[in-house]
Amino acid sequence: MSATLALPLPRRAGVLRRFSRHRMALFGAVTVMLLLLCVLFAPAIAPHDPLELDTHARFLPPLANPAFPLGTDELGRDLLSRLLYGGRISLVVGIVAMLTTVLTGASIGLLSGYYGGWIDTLLMRFVDTMLCFPQVFLLLVIAAFIPPTLLSIALIIGLTSWMEVARIVRSEILHLKEQDFVQAARALGASGGRIMALELLPNVMAPLLVAATLKVAQAVLMESYISYLGYGVQPPLASWGNMLTNAQGYFDTAPWLAILPGALITLTVMGFNFLGDGLRDALDPRLRIDP
C-alpha cells in the first residue's frame, strides 16, 4: 500500500521539473497569475471609480497627469480603472465559458467513447454538424436573440466551442476502456456511470486540463470579438472588447484608447496559450523539452 501511494510523488516531481524547464510556459504562468491578481484586487488598485466622469480631463494621454496614470477616455473616465474592472468581466466570461465547454465536451466525449454503437454515431454526427458552422457565426446568431448579460455571453461562448473537447475525450476513452483496470471494474459489477466517473474520467484529466487553459484564451478572444461588434457586454460596464469598440472612432487622435485594451487581450491570450503548451509538454513525458 505504501509503495502504491508513493508513486504519484515522483510523477508529480517529474511534471513540475518538465514544466519549470519550459521557459514560455513559465512566462505564461506568471502572466496569468499577475493578470488574475490585478483584476481580483481591482478595487484596491484602481485609482478611480471606472464609471466616474470628469469632463475636464477628457482624452488625457498616459503619464500626462499623475491622477490618471494611463490617461482618460472620451468621457474623462480613468483608463487604468476601466482596464482593471474590464479585465474582471473578460476573465470571468473566459473562465465560465471554459467550464461550460469542458463540462459539455467531456460529458459527450465520455458517453460517446464508452458506449459506442449508435450512441457514438449519433453524438459524433451532432459534433460534425456543429463543426460545420463557424463559431463566430453561431455566436452572433444566438447573441442576436438572447439579451446580453455576463452569464448569457459566457454560456453562449461555452456552448459553441465544446466540440474539440468532446473529440479529444472520446479518442482517449476509446483507448482506455479496453485497459485491464476498466475490464476488472466491469467484471466486479461496476455500473457504466461508476466506471466513467471513477475509472475513466480521472485518466483524461491531463488533456482536459490542457484544453481548459486553451479554451480560456479562446473565450476571452471571442468575448472581445462579439463585444467589439456590439453584441457583448453593454456600456457603461467595461470589458476589453467594448473598450475597443468605443475607441475605434478616436484611433487617430487618441490611439492609446485602443492600444491598451488590445495589448491586454493579446497578453492574456498569449499567457493562457503558453501555459497550455507547457502543461501539455509537462504532462506528456514522451515530449522532450529543451533546457
Side-chain angles (χ1 to χ4, degrees), residues 268-282:
T268 302
V269 172
M270 286 176 55
F272 277 106
N273 282 337
F274 288 150
L275 179 59
D277 288 343
L279 287 174
R280 179 201 63 201
D281 295 347

Side-chain angles (χ1 to χ4, degrees), residues 22-23 32 36 41 43 46 54 72 76 80 102 106 113 116 119 124 145 172 181 194 204 210 248 259 283 285-286:
H22 198 301
R23 295 189 182 91
V32 169
L36 290 174
F41 295 103
D54 187 349
T72 58
L80 174 58
V102 169
I119 295 178
M124 285 301 102
F145 294 97
E172 293 288 331
F181 68 93
R194 182 179 179 85
V204 298
V210 174
Q248 63 182 343
I259 291 173
L283 292 169
R286 295 170 298 179

